[in-house]
Amino acid sequence: MNKLTPFYCVIIAIQVTSCAGMQSSKQEHAPPETLALEPPPVEEKAPAQETVGHPALYYNYLMAQISRSEGDIEGALAHYRAAAALDSDSTMLMFDLANLYVRAGQLDESKQECVKIIKKDPNHFHARLLLAGINSALGSKEEAIEEYKTILQQDPDYEEVYIYLNALYSELQEYEKAQENMKEYAKRAPESPLPYYYMGKIAFQQQDYKKARKYYSEALKKEPSHESSLVELALLYEEQKNFKKAVEVYQTILSYYPRHVGAQSHLGQLYIQEGKLDYALEHYKQLDELVGSNNQVGLRMGLIFLEQKKYDDALKEFSLILRRDPGDDRARYYSALAYEGKGEVRKCIAALEQITMESEMFTEARIHMGYLYEEQGDLDRAIEIIETALKDKPEDIVLYRFLASLLEKAERYEEGIVLLQQALEYDQDSEDILFLLGVLYEKAVRFEDSIKTMEKVLQINPENADALNYIGYTYAEQGIKLDEAERLVKKALELKPEDGYIIDSLGWVYFKKGNYKKAVKYLEKAVQYASGDAIIKEHLGDAYLKSNLNDKALKMYEQALAIEPDKHELQQKIETLRGSE
């Protein structure tokens, strides 16, 4: 027996609604496939006259009505079954029983009753409608389609059935049948926007955006304020990244429906994407008035204030959220960022410390704490925090990655290598972990292990530009396999053509090959993309020097020294050049 909860039955995909048509504004503006499943109302009447001699039938029938009105569905079912047993020819009792089975979530039993009704009365319209909905809910889509087609033969003007059929055809991806079904609906309801709305949805599903726009526009000609068509048209423009048009349609929606929550929300998101934060904020404020004290809306407003560096306003929004829900760690995390923006680092760390291991924000909070201590020059404390976090979450690859970067900065390379080897036990194919491991091997002067590890990265992803570049640059630094180095770096550059570090690697390969003209060409380009990198400027200085462009070389060395004032090699190069003047 297939049993579903009563709640599930209320939200079944295909619904059986009243025969009254779609006259209310609510039905007009909400696509019928989203309406709740409710059995069609049938006028209740006493059992058949020929059963007068059966007082037990009347007793059970009346008790069934009382039990149903009191919400006792099981009790009502028991009395209906008893009544139906005493009047086996009453399709009215059978249909009431079928309806109750639906409410009880007993769809197979309801289906059996509908089949019995139709066998007795093939023209029992409501039984067929209920049977079609049950078949759809049970996954018997083809059977549901046949029932709906039979209903349309009996009543070709029953508009909802065209829509139910459309939903089934679309679910089965039988889009041509869905379109033909809607065209027939359009003939039956020439003034309705709904057939064109649904034809637009079908075209949208097929990513035929031009045809979808045409149908939505036709629907809006029939009814300019048709909410569903306006919403779908706006979503279509969003899908096409035509944000200007999407904004125009959402504004049209608000002109008809000023309290439209979806339009306000989407406008806020679109304005954020366009960088128009003040406009976005205005819509979120209106949305907040509509939905009232909503944490999601408050969080978005707080994030906008955070982006605008209005830290006090951001803190106000996040505090309101935490007052309503002290367990909202997203608001707590962003409060910490607001304190950081104000320069109140202690308060920032205090807020981050309140985020416990059970929170989805735990990893992010601990990493940010580590970052703050690193920025303060307390690298040991940063490492300690992440090590403690890893004890709580020993399988968190993100924590491994961040801790390894801290150990690299602390020049504790062998510890970092051991750590990343542990991380690989949890994710042996992690490109990030393997790449970091390769870097640490190189820093620990274990070049062979470094190259082997980077080659593992390329086995997993042959188009990992960073690994290609790393191997190529390592060969160039060592002055070995320079042709292979050139090939690898060129491939990396094809993948990331505007990466200053990869351009620098290619220039350095040419430098090592003695092709100083090409070296200068690429290293000058690298400096344009990564002007704040001392090594790249030093490389360009070396290339200028080899090209007898001493003035340019000196200038580059001086710029590099300004970035790294403690680099002894640069100081020596500058002194040598100045001494030769």
Side-chain angles (χ1 to χ4, degrees):
M1 180 177 68
N2 191 318
K3 291 193 73 171
L4 300 175
T5 64
F7 177 75
Y8 180 83
C9 291
V10 175
I11 56 171
I12 281 177
I14 300 299
Q15 306 77 13
V16 182
T17 56
S18 75
C19 310
M22 301 182 63
Q23 301 302 317
S24 75
S25 61
K26 182 177 179 182
Q27 286 180 315
E28 277 295 311
H29 296 302
E33 74 266 23
T34 67
L35 300 176
L37 169 67
E38 290 292 342
V42 179
E43 181 183 354
E44 293 185 0
K45 47 192 175 183
Q49 185 63 38
E50 60 270 21
T51 64
V52 166
H54 291 289
L57 186 152
Y58 283 98
Y59 167 77
N60 280 293
Y61 178 76
L62 292 174
M63 288 303 296
Q65 300 304 308
I66 292 169
S67 296
R68 185 168 67 175
S69 69
E70 293 176 347
D72 180 7
I73 301 300
E74 289 300 325
L77 281 171
H79 286 297
Y80 264 122
R81 282 193 290 262
L86 294 169
D87 187 357
S88 58
D89 291 326
S90 173
T91 56
M92 185 272 290
L93 286 174
M94 291 181 197
F95 188 67
D96 276 0
L97 187 55
N99 283 340
L100 272 177
Y101 277 133
V102 168
R103 294 180 187 278
Q106 299 176 27
L107 300 189
D108 284 326
E109 288 81 353
S110 181
K111 180 175 179 177
Q112 291 171 17
E113 292 300 320
C114 289
V115 170
K116 285 195 290 187
I117 295 168
I118 292 167
K119 191 172 182 180
K120 287 182 177 293
D121 180 6
N123 294 319
H124 199 294
F125 184 85
H126 296 109
R128 285 196 182 277
L129 199 58
L130 183 56
L131 179 57
I134 291 168
N135 279 331
S136 177
L138 292 174
S140 302
K141 309 297 183 186
E142 297 294 347
E143 290 182 43
I145 286 170
E146 291 307 312
E147 288 298 336
Y148 284 133
K149 287 164 79 171
T150 301
I151 292 168
L152 286 177
Q153 289 173 3
Q154 294 174 354
D155 183 359
D157 294 322
Y158 198 107
E159 294 185 21
E160 285 96 329
V161 174
Y162 291 102
I163 296 168
Y164 300 152
L165 268 173
N166 173 74
L168 287 169
Y169 283 136
S170 296
E171 192 173 342
L172 294 171
Q173 296 186 351
E174 296 180 359
Y175 297 119
E176 288 186 16
K177 289 182 180 179
Q179 290 285 22
E180 289 303 315
N181 171 61
M182 283 294 111
K183 287 176 182 177
E184 183 62 30
Y185 178 20
K187 292 178 186 176
R188 298 284 174 179
E191 299 306 314
S192 173
L194 289 173
Y196 299 98
Y197 161 72
Y198 283 107
M199 284 191 276
K201 283 196 72 172
I202 294 164
F204 198 171
Q205 286 176 314
Q206 294 178 288
Q207 297 184 332
D208 189 341
Y209 301 130
K210 184 177 180 181
K211 188 178 286 186
R213 283 199 307 271
K214 172 189 169 187
Y215 285 130
Y216 291 142
S217 298
E218 191 63 35
L220 292 169
K221 285 180 185 176
K222 303 287 182 184
E223 185 181 322
S225 63
H226 190 252
E227 180 184 350
S228 298
S229 295
L230 287 166
V231 168
E232 287 290 324
L233 183 58
L235 291 173
L236 185 149
Y237 283 129
E238 281 195 63
E239 183 74 18
Q240 293 185 294
K241 309 297 182 189
N242 190 340
F243 297 143
K244 182 180 178 181
K245 283 285 188 183
V247 166
E248 288 177 6
V249 178
Y250 283 126
Q251 287 173 337
T252 300
I253 293 171
L254 289 175
S255 71
Y256 288 114
Y257 310 102
R259 299 181 63 79
H260 198 287
V261 169
Q264 292 283 14
S265 178
H266 277 265
L267 275 171
Q269 292 174 40
L270 287 170
Y271 281 129
I272 286 175
Q273 291 178 51
E274 291 185 335
K276 298 178 179 178
L277 298 185
D278 287 331
Y279 286 99
L281 191 60
E282 185 60 35
H283 283 285
Y284 282 125
K285 285 179 179 178
Q286 292 179 40
L287 186 60
D288 193 47
E289 290 178 7
L290 289 175
V291 298
S293 301
N294 182 280
N295 285 2
Q296 289 287 349
V297 177
L299 192 70
R300 286 186 177 275
M301 289 196 293
L303 288 172
I304 290 172
F305 286 132
L306 200 59
E307 182 67 23
Q308 293 177 323
K309 296 182 170 37
K310 297 178 180 178
Y311 300 119
D312 288 328
D313 290 330
L315 281 168
K316 180 181 176 182
E317 291 299 330
F318 299 139
S319 296
L320 286 171
I321 295 170
L322 289 167
R323 199 175 303 160
R324 291 191 294 265
D325 180 7
D328 193 322
D329 283 331
R330 295 170 306 163
R332 195 176 307 283
Y333 178 80
Y334 292 122
S335 292
L337 298 191
Y339 283 125
E340 182 186 2
K342 292 182 69 177
E344 299 178 14
V345 177
R346 286 186 180 180
K347 286 186 177 181
C348 173
I349 291 174
L352 293 171
E353 283 176 335
Q354 293 179 54
I355 299 174
T356 62
M357 181 185 70
E358 292 76 21
S359 172
E360 63 180 16
M361 301 298 295
F362 174 77
T363 297
E364 209 164 343
R366 290 302 176 270
I367 286 175
H368 203 76
M369 285 173 65
Y371 162 77
L372 289 170
Y373 280 112
E374 179 194 353
E375 285 290 294
Q376 292 177 330
D378 194 347
L379 202 53
D380 289 338
R381 178 63 177 142
I383 290 170
E384 181 186 344
I385 285 169
I386 305 305
E387 285 177 336
T388 302
L390 262 177
K391 289 176 184 176
D392 293 327
K393 291 205 166 185
E395 298 182 17
D396 195 317
I397 296 297
V398 178
L399 288 172
Y400 280 105
R401 192 164 60 233
F402 185 65
L403 180 55
S405 70
L406 292 175
L407 290 170
E408 179 190 354
K409 288 174 183 175
E411 298 184 2
R412 292 158 60 176
Y413 304 128
E414 291 297 337
E415 288 181 56
I417 288 167
V418 172
L419 176 78
L420 293 176
Q421 287 170 339
Q422 291 172 358
L424 289 172
E425 294 176 12
Y426 297 108
D427 187 357
Q428 62 180 359
D429 292 329
S430 171
E431 290 181 50
D432 290 341
I433 295 298
L434 284 167
F435 184 85
L436 275 173
L437 181 57
V439 171
L440 288 179
Y441 276 135
E442 188 262 336
K443 294 285 178 72
V445 199
R446 294 169 61 176
F447 297 116
E448 187 176 339
D449 288 330
S450 176
I451 295 297
K452 284 181 179 178
T453 305
M454 291 298 179
E455 286 172 344
K456 284 182 184 177
V457 175
L458 294 177
Q459 286 173 10
I460 296 166
N461 177 13
E463 296 193 344
N464 187 308
D466 295 325
L468 289 164
N469 178 61
Y470 207 91
I471 297 172
Y473 182 77
T474 301
Y475 286 154
E477 273 288 276
Q478 296 179 11
I480 62 173
K481 299 183 180 180
L482 295 178
D483 288 340
E484 175 67 1
E486 183 178 348
R487 184 189 70 81
L488 291 168
V489 175
K490 280 183 173 178
K491 184 176 179 181
L493 199 57
E494 287 175 7
L495 297 166
K496 289 186 174 181
E498 296 183 357
D499 189 303
Y501 297 97
I502 298 176
I503 298 168
D504 167 70
S505 295
L506 186 57
W508 199 237
V509 169
Y510 286 128
F511 179 88
K512 290 288 186 172
K513 281 185 159 189
N515 190 337
Y516 303 123
K517 185 176 180 181
K518 274 194 172 182
V520 167
K521 173 186 173 183
Y522 282 99
L523 291 169
E524 284 180 340
K525 187 175 180 183
V527 167
Q528 291 175 9
Y529 283 105
S531 59
D533 190 278
I535 291 176
I536 294 177
K537 291 195 170 189
E538 184 179 2
H539 284 170
L540 179 55
D542 292 344
Y544 281 146
L545 190 62
K546 287 291 186 179
S547 303
N548 296 316
L549 300 170
N550 291 8
D551 290 343
K552 287 187 174 183
L554 181 60
K555 184 178 179 181
M556 275 300 117
Y557 290 148
E558 288 172 341
Q559 289 182 16
L561 188 64
I563 298 169
E564 289 191 14
D566 297 327
K567 193 167 183 180
H568 182 65
E569 295 89 341
L570 276 170
Q571 292 172 347
Q572 284 186 324
K573 289 178 181 181
I574 290 170
E575 289 171 7
T576 300
L577 274 174
R578 285 176 178 168
S580 65
E581 289 179 354

